[in-house]
Every structure is written in C-alpha cells, then in structure tokens.
Amino acid sequence: MVEEKKQEPENKRPPKRSIGRKIGSVLGWLFVIGLMGTLFIGGSVLGYVTSIVKDEPVRSRALIEQKMDDNAVTGFAYFGDGSPIGQLRTEEDRRPVKHDEIPQIVIDAVVSIEDNRFYTHKGVDFMGTARAVKQRLLNEPIQTGGSTLTQQLARQAFLSRDKTSDRKVKEILLSFRLERFLSKEQIITAYLNKVPYGNGSNGYNVFGIKAASKGIFNISDLNKLNIAQAAYLAGLPQLPSAYSAFNGIGEFDEKSFKRAMKRQGLVLDRMLEEGKLTPAEHKEAKAFDIKKSLAPRTQKAYVTYPYLMMEVERQASKIIMELNNPKVDGEQTKENGDLMDEARSELSTGGYRIYTTIDRTIYGAMRKIAEDDSNFFPDSETKGKEQTAAMMINNKTGAILGMIEGRDFKTEEMNYATQMVRQPGSAMKPIAAYLPALDSGKVQPGSIVDDSPVILKDGSNGYHIPKNVNWRYKGLMTAREALNHSTNTVALNLFNNVIGIESALEFSKKLGITTLVERDYAAGTGVIGGLTHGTSVEELTNAYSAIGNQGKFTDAYLIDKIVDSNGKIVYKHETKPVQVFSSQTAYLMTDMMRTVITNGSGSTVRDNYKHFNKVPVVGKTGSSQDYGDSWFLGYSPDITLGVWVGYKHSVNTLDKPQRTHAQSIWAKVMNETINLKPDLFPTKEFKKPEGIVSKTVSAYSGKLPTELTDKFVTDLFNAKFVPTERDDSLAKAKYITYKGANYIPRDGTPEEFLKEQIVIKRVKPIDELIKELEAAFAVMRGGHESLQFYIPEDANKGMPTKVDPRVDDGRAPTPPKNLNYSKGVITFSPSGSPDVVGYRLYRSANGGPFMNQGQVVMADGTKQFTTSGGSNVTYYIVAVDVAGKASEPSAIVGNSPVPDPDPTPDLGNETDGVTPDEGTEEIPDTGPQGPTSMPQQPGQPTIQATPDGFRATWSANPSEDGVTLYNVYFSPNNDGIYQIIGTSQTNEFHSSNSSPISGTFRITAVNPVGESSASPTVFFEKN
C-alpha cells in the first residue's frame, strides 16, 4: 500500500490550461514585443531626428521675431521733382507691407489654396500632408501641397530650398517653434512679404504680395485688387517660374500665363468651397479678363537710365559707407573695398529711397543730344567712338541738374563726366592763373602782359619752350586779349612767375580740384594741361560755377537726401558755400570771358548759341596737346555747363572739325535747356558789384598815360587795384636792330642803319630774352625752332638796354657775294666779316655814275634789295661795319652794259653822285632836256585809317625833279627790310586791304635818272 502511494504522484498529469489563458499569454507577449519595438523605433526616430538637428541652433523668440521683420527691401532712386528714376540695381523687387495693409480677400485666397486649416493647426497639418501624399500616389489631377503656410515661412526664413528629408524634419520642428512664438497674423504677414511671385512686367523677380501687385498689375495699393487678381496672385507661389506671365526682360509669356490662369481657377474654386466667395462672386471673378489688367511692359531703370543709376548707386553707397564708418575719411574710403561692398549690399536690400538733384527734362534732353550720331564723327576703326561728357550745375546750390556720362552705355559703361580724368588744357587758365592774379591785384583786364617765350626746365630735355596755338609770339597785349586768344605764354608766366605754382594750385584746390598730386607742384605747364592726371568734367565745371556764384564755391552734389525703409531721413545734403575770391574778381573774370566768346576762341558758341538777348553767357575753351581733348566751360548767372569731347584714349587725337565739337555740344545743350526750362534762368545779367570802375591806361605799360603815350586801353578795374603810377615805359631812343633786338649803337655806326623813335621798356628786355634763349638752345636735347621764331612780333619797339654786341675788328669788311638780279630784285650772300651792320645799294642809269640809293639792308635781314627796275640800269652793293667802314663794291649786276664802278666811291651817308673814273667817256646829251639827277627824297608821309584800309599822303616833289611815280615801301617787322606794296603817280596812295596791319612805311620818288633816297619813316597800326 505504501509503495503504491509513493508511486502515485509520478503517474499524476498536470491539468490543462484554458484557451483564454493561452490567448492572454500571447497577447501579453505581443504587448511586450510591441512595446519593445515601439521603444526601439521611437529611439531610432529620436536618434535620427537628433542626428539631424544636433547642429541646428535653438532659435530664440527675439531671433525669430527679428527674422520675420528682416526683409530685403527694394530701393528706388528719384529725380529732383520726386518722379522715379527706377529701382536700384538688383534682380529682385521687394516691398514689405504691414498686416493692416493686406485686404482680407488676399488672405482668404492664400489660405484657401495653400493651407485651409491654417487657423486651427499648430504648425503642421497632418491631414493635409496625408491628403497631399494620397494625391501624389494616385496621380490625381488636382495636386495640393503638404506644407502649411508656417512650414513654407520656416523654409523661406531659415532653411535652404533643397528638397531633402533632413530639411523636412527641420521645417516641421521650426514650424512648431514659430507657432509657439508668433501669432497667426504675424505668420501670414511674414509669409506674404517673403514668398516669390515670378517676374514683373519690368523683368525683375518680385517677392512679396505688394511687389507682385505692382509688378504684375501695376497696382500699388493692395486694397484695389479685385477677387480675380487676388486669386491670380495667390496661385503663383506654388511654381512662380512656371506661372510667370513675364520673362526676365518683361516680355509677355503666353504659355506661362495660361498655366497661371488654370491655377487661378483652382484658387477661386477652393475659395468657393471654403465659403469665402458667393456663387455670384465666383462667377464674376471667373469672367474677369486678367490679361487686360496686366501691367504694361516697362524697362528696368538700368536699361532706361543705365549711366544715371550706376552713378546714383556709386555715390549713395559712398554716403552710406561714411555714415556707417564716420571715422573713415574719403581717401580710406577709396582704398577700403570691403566697406564699399558692404554699403552697396545694404543699399540694394535696405529699401532706401535716393532723392537726386537731376532735372528729368534736362537730363533727357542732354541724353538725346549725346545719342544723336549726327553731332559726332563716324566711329573710327583705329580710334573707336568719339566720346563726350557734360555736367550742368546750379551756381548757387551746387546741385547737379543734368549730365552726359558718355554716348552709349553698351559701348562704354564708364561715366566720363565723373570718373574720367583728362588734361584740361587752356580751360585751366582761368582757375590757376587769371583768377588768383586778378584777386591779388597783380593783373587786371587792362593790364599789359607780354606774349613772349617762357623757358621752362625740363629734366629729360634740358629746357622746354612752349608755343602758342597760332605758333606766334605777338608781344605786348592786354590780359583780356591774352585770354581771348588763349595765349599760352601769358598764362604760363602768371602761373610760374607772377602767382607761383604752389599758390596757384592751392587756389585751385579751394575750387574743388582734388586730382592734384605732389608732382604737379613741379609742373611748369600745369596751367595749360601739363598735370599728372588732369581734372574731371565734374570738378572743372564745379570750379567755374564759383565764378558765376560771385566767388563763392559750393561743392557740387547729386544726392539730395536718403530715406530708409521706415521713412527716416538718414542723410540730407547741406550746402556750405565758401567765399574763395571776391565778387569783384568774379565780375572781372566774367567780363574777360565774355569777350572770349564775342572776340576770341569761342566763336563756335558765338555762332550757335541762340539766346544772347535773354540769357547772357560767358566761357572758356580748352584743348590738350595735339588735341587729344577739347573743352568748353561756360556759364550764365544761374547755371554752369562744362563739356568735354575726345576719344577714350587721349593718344587718339581729334581732327580739325572735331576740335569745336565741345563748343557746338555746349550750345545745343544750353539752347535746349533754355527752351525747355526757362525758369532755371531768372537772372538776366551778370550783376556788377560795387568797386568796379573803368579806367584808361597806357597800352604799353598799363599805367597812367603821359605826354609820350600815344596808344591807350580803356578797361574795367577793381577799384582797389587801379594804377596810380605814371607810364615810365616810353622814351625816345636811337638804336640799331640786330637779331630781332634793339641795341644801343656803337660810336661810328652810320645813321642810316639807326632808327630813332619812341620805344618801350619791357619787363624782360628782348636782348635779355635772346641771351636766355641762346643759353637754353645750347643744352636742349629735344630740338627747337630758329631764334627768329621766338622773337616777339613787336620786338622792334623794345627799348635798348645793352650796346650792340658786334665789335669793330679794325678792318674794312669784305664785300657781299653771289649777287643776282631778276625783275628788279637783287639777292646776295652776306659779307664774311662779323662786325657788319648792314648793306648799301648803289645804282647806275644809262651808264652814268653809281649813286647811293638810300636803301639799306640790315646785317641780319633778308639779303635782298627791291628796286624800281627800268632799262639800262646796273647795281652793286657794299657792306658797312659798326665803325662805318665800307667794303669794296661787290660785283655789278643789272640789265645794261656794265660800267666799271668807281673803286673809291663816296661811301658816306650822302646821296651825291659818285665821281667817275678818270678817262671815263662822257656821253653827250643828244636828247631833249630833262632831269639830270635823281629826285630828292619825298617829305614826311602821314597815314590815316579808312573804313576799308588806309590812306597815305606826303609832300609832292618839285616839278624840276621830273618825278614820274612814287614807290610805297612797307616793313611789317620794322627791321629795316622793306618791300614795295604799291606805286602812285601822285602824292597820295590808297589801300583797300581790310586785314589788320602794323609796321613802318616810307616813300621814294622815281624819275628817269633813278630813285631817290627814302623819306622819313612813319609807323601805322590798324587792327
């Protein structure tokens, strides 16, 4: 029994579990496995998300709010009247709005098509996302986006546009954060300010609802959009490039427009479904003709006004840079490119409004003239396009009213008016020579200056002797005349010697010339265009405007004010005039430049400017060496206009007709400006200030006349600088002329080689000038003209200060050689003796005795005698030295059998006959009785000007002289070299030559025996 009981438990089986317990166990294990899976997947997702966002910054509320308000805003430039020039340079147009500026219809349209649960979700719409996935999987015809407006805003503000899963995760998380910190109003407003809408009618990419409304429909006020237009705009952000009705240059795109209209229909349908529209509104919107309401195509400002927009951007960027960096001066500004780049970027995205001084009408007229090819030479294969630049400035304010920056922006983008620097040539003379000289009283318009060579040191060539444009040196003239004819030598003397280079250039700097450098202070030709760099059209025009502003310099400016995107004025130009020179100086300079136009080098302006009777103008020409540049700077009492013409590279010079193009362009611009904007010229005359007087002075010295003064100048003076000294420049002197200079004669020099008249004392005597020239010639390596070329035309009037440099060698001179006679003209070679002062001519008629003809040729004159000719006459010449010794007669020439000359003729100054050689056969008188000797010299001639020339008269010879005619001789240089200019059978001679004339005259009488000695000389001048 016991054993049986012990074995019982071994054989006993456990009871079976119920089905319910089994199911519960399975479910328990599935729950555990599911939980473990969920934890594993959640951990993986969390790890994945963490790996994505581990480097993503946690953005604070302040940062998010700042970013929402941080919109790149389009900037604009405006003309002086407030009308738009255009959008600042950028490919985008952005115009932010506030929430209260957005009409509800626009918000309803956007929310209906983009995010219909916008006001209920917390940043992500999972139902909308699921719907979008279903539409994509099933390829349904209507596709909607899965991103909410908040997600799209997060993407626009913080993320790239790359379509990756990483970005989507960041977008979702950011959306939750945006919804946490921002209101729905803030989100919808930020969205509508940042999303792209494609191209506007001007080709710009428009961002934001306001820029889209303006660019696509030309509607600036969003409240004026109708339902159809609002729906059209709401549909564009999904695919702006595909739906854009305009391409990148503003051309209409039919295919894209049709796609956009299909999208607009969907937007209207959604709005109807969402209850935002009534069926009637829906029908009306569907029927609206959107195409007709599109904005007309317009050009970008950089197409319409490319030069001007570039200049506005350049100057405005500089102003912004200086505002942001007040401790950086102008020079550092030029050198610091990074600061300028930052300023340009800020300008293009900061929503600035740039208000300029440019007058739209004037600027358009100036551009039209610049773009008219008929005003210029055809393009050259070697030189390129003839260019021009101009600047018009208001004298009183300094405001730039208009400019020509170049002819064609497509050919050359550089602004020739503001950025180009070229040699100003003679246009620099008023600025660096005449103005400082007038203001210091060292010169007045009637002052006498000397047009004679100025010898300048030249490091490479030893010396440089500048020439005038006419290749002449006229001598003494008034300062007014020197400026009228743009005489280089006078300006050079004022610049180098009267004012001094340093003072002249410092004066120029006060007038706004900023391009001067240290080397210019050693440039003796700086006043005529020998500067290191030159000047810009803007700065030189600005300097001239100070003259029109009565001596007050006002810095020229283009930017009047800059307003930021909030309407705050961040910059306003302040006019700060500076009195650089007196109003009296300004008036005198103005009056001198008046005659530049009426009597001088500004003749093209004189002939083409049409408003002298309404608007007085004055000005100055200028041209650089070899005519690489041509200028005209002119002004009225109100406006200054400067014009430059040339080629891009100054080595390409202007042809002769082109050299007046600057003047013709100036006249065209002024004529058009006065026609279009006469109100810019209210001042009808240059106002004469107190302290200006008229005074008559000696035309020889500029001092008060004396009893010797026979030539006068009446001109304007600053009363402070009216001369008080008496003329001490005149004296009667006897002298001899040699190499163009007058010298004190040596004892023994025959009288017939001397002259006696009123002579002029010059600041630099001619003999001293010759000495300096010869010294310079000795070391000049660049070549030079002959000495005679440099002698002033009035050198014969100079007072002698030194004795004739020729010294008697104690011997009689050798006779002249190589005589040749042809048609009354005798030429010869000079004597070989160095002390010869001149030559006498002897004549024999019909084999009679040789008689001194009273004609002389000076040693340095043309080796030629002009005779009255005749038949059966012969001649010889003798040389005479400083001591009066005469040479042996030369060989005899003539047109009759040659008699032997008396080997010992009387070589004195008397004109008696020469005793024939012994044994000479006397010729019996077989004809009728007549004069047996040459006539006596005629009396003192007098000359009077006539309207068409002049009239000369003299005392008639007695009848027994048998005079058959009188010869009239003229010496233009008063150097003893005379030429016959006419004959008369009476004691009167008329000339109808209306050209200017200046020189000495003398008369001889002719009878059958020969020609008398010459009458006393008379000087005559007619301009």
Side-chain angles (χ1 to χ4, degrees):
M1 291 287 293
V2 174
E3 291 179 356
E4 288 178 359
K5 289 180 180 178
K6 289 181 179 177
Q7 292 176 350
E8 188 176 7
E10 295 177 4
N11 297 326
K12 191 175 181 179
R13 291 172 183 265
K16 292 182 178 179
R17 291 183 292 180
S18 66
I19 293 176
R21 290 184 65 187
K22 289 181 180 179
I23 292 173
S25 177
V26 170
L27 291 174
W29 279 106
L30 287 174
F31 174 75
V32 171
I33 293 170
L35 179 62
M36 292 178 63
T38 299
L39 291 173
F40 175 77
I41 293 171
S44 299
V45 171
L46 181 62
Y48 173 67
V49 171
T50 302
S51 69
I52 291 174
V53 300
K54 64 183 177 68
D55 295 324
E56 191 72 10
V58 177
R59 294 172 175 87
S60 65
R61 176 193 291 268
L63 178 62
I64 289 173
E65 289 178 344
Q66 176 190 341
K67 198 68 176 177
M68 294 304 101
D69 294 331
D70 185 14
N71 294 300
V73 185
T74 301
F76 292 88
Y78 300 88
F79 287 107
D81 62 359
S83 61
I85 300 172
Q87 180 178 320
L88 296 179
R89 183 171 50 171
T90 175
E91 290 305 313
E92 301 175 358
D93 185 358
R94 298 175 183 263
R95 310 183 190 205
V97 292
K98 297 177 181 178
H99 186 268
D100 58 9
E101 297 177 77
I102 307 172
Q104 190 61 42
I105 191 66
V106 170
I107 295 175
D108 289 345
V110 171
V111 170
S112 296
I113 191 63
E114 291 290 341
D115 189 0
N116 64 334
R117 276 179 286 276
F118 171 69
Y119 289 104
T120 59
H121 65 65
K122 297 299 182 181
V124 178
D125 181 4
F126 293 107
M127 292 180 63
T129 302
R131 182 186 70 242
V133 170
K134 177 179 76 72
Q135 290 170 346
R136 294 281 179 92
L137 290 174
L138 299 179
N139 195 25
E140 294 182 7
I142 297 177
Q143 300 277 327
T144 57
S147 296
T148 65
L149 292 176
T150 312
Q151 287 175 269
Q152 293 179 53
L153 176 61
R155 180 168 65 245
Q156 286 284 339
F158 295 104
L159 303 175
S160 71
R161 297 193 178 190
D162 297 335
K163 293 184 178 181
T164 64
S165 57
D166 288 3
R167 192 209 71 187
K168 199 67 176 178
V169 171
K170 294 177 184 179
E171 181 183 294
I172 292 171
L173 294 177
L174 270 171
S175 297
F176 289 136
R177 196 161 183 82
L178 292 181
E179 291 277 351
R180 177 184 173 189
F181 293 135
L182 301 176
S183 68
K184 291 295 184 178
E185 283 187 358
Q186 288 175 302
I187 291 172
I188 190 70
T189 302
Y191 171 85
L192 286 173
N193 277 329
K194 293 182 183 295
V195 291
Y197 287 83
N199 299 117
S201 63
N202 52 15
Y204 286 116
N205 294 318
V206 289
F207 285 78
I209 187 66
K210 186 169 184 178
S213 176
K214 176 66 176 174
I216 296 172
F217 294 116
N218 196 29
I219 296 175
S220 299
D221 184 354
L222 296 180
N223 289 296
K224 295 182 179 180
L225 290 170
N226 61 32
I227 295 172
Q229 292 167 329
Y232 181 90
L233 294 177
L236 298 179
Q238 185 192 51
L239 290 171
S241 59
Y243 296 149
S244 180
F246 303 100
N247 62 18
I249 57 176
E251 295 174 333
F252 181 71
D253 186 333
E254 186 72 39
K255 290 183 179 179
S256 295
F257 175 69
K258 288 181 178 179
R259 288 193 290 265
M261 287 303 298
K262 186 176 181 181
R263 175 75 173 167
Q264 183 229 27
L266 178 60
V267 174
L268 291 172
D269 292 345
R270 283 278 184 263
M271 294 178 72
L272 181 64
E273 292 172 10
E274 296 293 325
K276 304 301 180 182
L277 295 179
T278 66
E281 289 173 328
H282 179 266
K283 182 179 180 180
E284 182 183 356
K286 285 265 188 173
F288 181 77
D289 191 341
I290 286 286
K291 187 174 183 179
K292 282 187 177 180
S293 72
L294 292 174
R297 182 188 180 189
T298 58
Q299 295 280 8
K300 296 178 181 179
Y302 280 87
V303 175
T304 309
Y305 302 111
Y307 280 121
L308 182 56
M309 290 300 294
M310 291 283 282
E311 186 63 23
V312 169
E313 178 189 294
R314 185 178 71 86
Q315 294 201 28
S317 296
K318 182 174 182 291
I319 290 171
I320 290 175
M321 197 228 66
E322 291 172 346
L323 291 173
N324 294 341
N325 303 273
K327 294 183 179 180
V328 178
D329 63 28
E331 288 303 313
Q332 289 174 312
T333 298
K334 296 177 183 178
E335 297 169 3
N336 200 323
D338 292 340
L339 293 179
M340 283 298 291
D341 289 343
E342 291 174 8
R344 289 191 192 98
S345 177
E346 181 178 342
L347 182 70
S348 63
T349 61
Y352 289 103
R353 302 292 193 265
I354 315 298
Y355 293 88
T356 74
T357 60
I358 297 293
D359 185 292
R360 183 175 195 147
T361 303
I362 292 174
Y363 183 77
M366 293 177 75
R367 289 296 330 152
K368 185 176 181 180
I369 290 170
E371 293 165 9
D372 184 349
D373 291 343
S374 67
N375 292 326
F376 306 92
F377 260 31
D379 294 355
S380 165
E381 291 184 5
T382 56
K383 298 179 181 181
K385 183 180 290 292
E386 182 185 356
Q387 286 290 356
T388 187
M391 181 69 63
M392 182 180 287
I393 298 174
N394 182 297
N395 293 341
K396 292 179 176 58
T397 66
I400 297 173
L401 302 178
M403 56 182 159
I404 296 175
E405 310 93 331
R407 287 181 58 196
D408 183 1
F409 187 78
K410 295 177 182 178
T411 302
E412 176 57 62
E413 295 184 8
M414 183 179 73
N415 187 328
Y416 281 91
T418 62
Q419 295 176 287
M420 174 195 71
V421 175
R422 296 290 277 263
Q423 294 297 342
S426 294
M428 194 68 178
K429 291 172 182 175
I431 305 304
Y434 287 96
L435 278 173
L438 287 168
D439 205 48
S440 63
K442 294 179 178 178
V443 161
Q444 297 287 280
S447 297
I448 301 304
V449 292
D450 198 351
D451 174 18
S452 61
V454 176
I455 304 170
L456 301 174
K457 289 185 177 180
D458 185 338
S460 61
N461 294 314
Y463 288 96
H464 171 52
I465 309 175
K467 300 180 178 71
N468 292 318
V469 67
N470 59 5
W471 277 51
R472 297 169 57 193
Y473 299 92
K474 190 173 180 180
L476 300 180
M477 61 175 60
T478 63
R480 180 187 294 275
E481 183 182 359
L483 184 67
N484 284 353
H485 299 289
S486 200
T487 306
N488 288 336
T489 56
V490 173
L492 287 166
N493 187 53
L494 293 175
F495 182 68
N496 286 272
N497 304 319
V498 177
I499 303 301
I501 296 178
E502 182 175 356
S503 295
L505 294 186
E506 290 303 313
F507 189 95
S508 302
K509 285 183 176 180
K510 293 178 183 178
L511 293 175
I513 306 298
T514 66
T515 51
L516 302 172
V517 296
E518 190 64 31
R519 285 176 54 192
D520 292 326
Y521 286 83
T525 57
V527 74
I528 61 171
L531 299 171
T532 303
H533 301 301
T535 62
S536 70
V537 177
E538 178 185 359
E539 289 191 352
L540 193 56
T541 306
N542 199 185
Y544 271 76
S545 71
I547 315 174
N549 197 27
Q550 299 177 347
K552 292 186 287 289
F553 173 74
T554 304
D555 202 10
Y557 68 103
L558 175 70
I559 308 298
D560 182 50
K561 67 179 177 179
I562 299 178
V563 180
D564 68 14
S565 59
N566 297 318
K568 179 184 176 183
I569 297 176
V570 297
Y571 169 81
K572 183 72 174 75
H573 176 80
E574 294 182 17
T575 298
K576 298 177 180 178
V578 178
Q579 192 80 45
V580 178
F581 48 92
S582 72
S583 59
Q584 289 80 14
T585 294
Y587 185 81
L588 293 176
M589 188 77 260
T590 294
D591 196 68
M592 290 174 71
M593 286 196 284
R594 174 182 57 81
T595 51
V596 169
I597 294 177
T598 59
N599 302 335
S601 56
S603 58
T604 301
V605 169
R606 181 189 66 222
D607 296 340
N608 291 277
Y609 177 64
K610 300 176 181 178
H611 301 282
F612 282 109
N613 60 330
K614 293 191 296 185
V615 180
V617 294
V618 303
K620 181 68 183 77
T621 56
S623 58
S624 61
Q625 187 166 353
D626 298 326
Y627 293 96
D629 308 273
S630 178
W631 299 75
F632 190 79
L633 285 296
Y635 57 91
S636 76
D638 302 293
I639 299 299
T640 297
L641 172 65
V643 177
W644 165 89
V645 169
Y647 286 96
K648 181 177 181 179
H649 302 292
S650 59
V651 295
N652 296 321
T653 58
L654 298 167
D655 293 339
K656 190 171 183 179
Q658 293 174 285
R659 297 170 190 176
T660 60
H661 280 182
Q663 293 188 53
S664 60
I665 296 296
W666 190 93
K668 287 176 184 290
V669 171
M670 285 296 288
N671 288 335
E672 279 297 293
T673 301
I674 294 169
N675 290 336
L676 295 170
K677 283 299 190 77
D679 55 306
L680 289 175
F681 303 88
T683 311
K684 302 307 178 185
E685 63 179 0
F686 291 102
K687 182 181 178 182
K688 181 191 290 188
E690 294 183 359
I692 297 295
V693 298
S694 178
K695 194 71 175 177
T696 298
V697 296
S698 167
Y700 302 108
S701 66
K703 298 179 181 180
L704 298 178
T706 67
E707 59 278 1
L708 288 177
T709 307
D710 61 354
K711 191 174 180 181
F712 308 91
V713 170
T714 301
D715 213 324
L716 300 178
F717 286 81
N718 184 332
K720 288 169 55 178
F721 304 123
V722 170
T724 57
E725 298 179 355
R726 308 291 289 178
D727 186 5
D728 59 357
S729 65
L730 299 175
K732 191 171 185 179
K734 187 176 288 188
Y735 59 90
I736 189 167
T737 302
Y738 177 56
K739 291 185 177 179
N742 296 336
Y743 290 96
I744 300 170
R746 292 186 176 275
D747 293 340
T749 301
E751 289 286 330
E752 62 195 295
F753 296 98
L754 307 183
K755 299 172 186 175
E756 184 174 12
Q757 65 178 20
I758 301 296
V759 289
I760 309 164
K761 181 171 67 177
R762 309 173 84 107
V763 174
K764 178 179 286 186
I766 298 298
D767 49 21
E768 183 178 328
L769 172 65
I770 289 173
K771 186 176 180 180
E772 291 180 1
L773 287 168
E774 290 176 335
F777 292 167
V779 296
M780 284 177 69
R781 290 181 290 277
H784 58 81
E785 309 296 332
S786 67
L787 175 64
Q788 193 60 39
F789 174 85
Y790 297 99
I791 303 302
E793 293 176 3
D794 65 349
N796 60 311
K797 301 176 183 178
M799 182 179 294
T801 60
K802 292 182 173 59
V803 176
D804 188 345
R806 293 166 292 190
V807 180
D808 180 22
D809 61 5
R811 299 186 299 273
T814 59
K817 304 174 183 177
N818 303 320
L819 272 69
N820 179 67
Y821 177 83
S822 176
K823 298 180 179 179
V825 177
I826 305 171
T827 58
F828 59 97
S829 299
S831 164
S833 301
D835 58 348
V836 169
V837 295
Y839 301 89
R840 295 184 182 130
L841 176 68
Y842 286 81
R843 176 178 182 270
S844 169
N846 299 317
F850 281 91
M851 306 291 292
N852 185 347
Q853 297 301 289
Q855 286 182 257
V856 297
V857 168
M858 304 303 291
D860 56 348
T862 302
K863 304 305 182 289
Q864 174 181 305
F865 283 101
T866 301
T867 72
S868 58
S871 58
N872 299 320
V873 292
T874 53
Y875 303 90
Y876 67 74
I877 302 170
V878 298
V880 182
D881 67 14
V882 293
K885 295 188 293 292
S887 71
E888 293 291 328
S890 68
I892 297 173
V893 295
N895 59 6
S896 67
V898 178
D900 292 331
D902 184 352
T904 58
D906 179 0
L907 298 176
N909 296 322
E910 63 277 0
T911 58
D912 297 334
V914 178
T915 305
D917 290 342
E918 291 184 9
T920 301
E921 182 180 358
E922 296 285 350
I923 301 175
D925 183 8
T926 58
Q929 295 295 315
T932 58
S933 63
M934 291 187 299
Q936 57 186 299
Q937 69 180 29
Q940 174 71 54
T942 60
I943 302 181
Q944 294 177 321
T946 61
D948 62 344
F950 65 89
R951 171 175 174 267
T953 60
W954 57 92
S955 301
N957 283 48
S959 58
E960 54 267 23
D961 280 356
V963 173
T964 57
L965 60 86
Y966 294 94
N967 290 330
V968 181
Y969 289 88
F970 173 65
S971 173
N973 297 318
N974 199 18
D975 55 4
I977 301 174
Y978 287 84
Q979 295 181 341
I980 292 179
I981 61 170
T983 61
S984 174
Q985 295 182 337
T986 68
N987 62 328
E988 189 172 302
F989 176 78
H990 293 266
S991 171
S992 59
N993 184 357
S994 60
S995 301
I997 189 168
S998 177
T1000 54
F1001 293 79
R1002 67 186 188 185
I1003 315 296
T1004 63
V1006 180
N1007 69 7
V1009 177
E1011 185 178 17
S1012 73
S1013 59
S1015 71
T1017 60
V1018 61
F1019 176 78
F1020 175 73
E1021 183 173 34
K1022 180 183 178 183
N1023 293 320

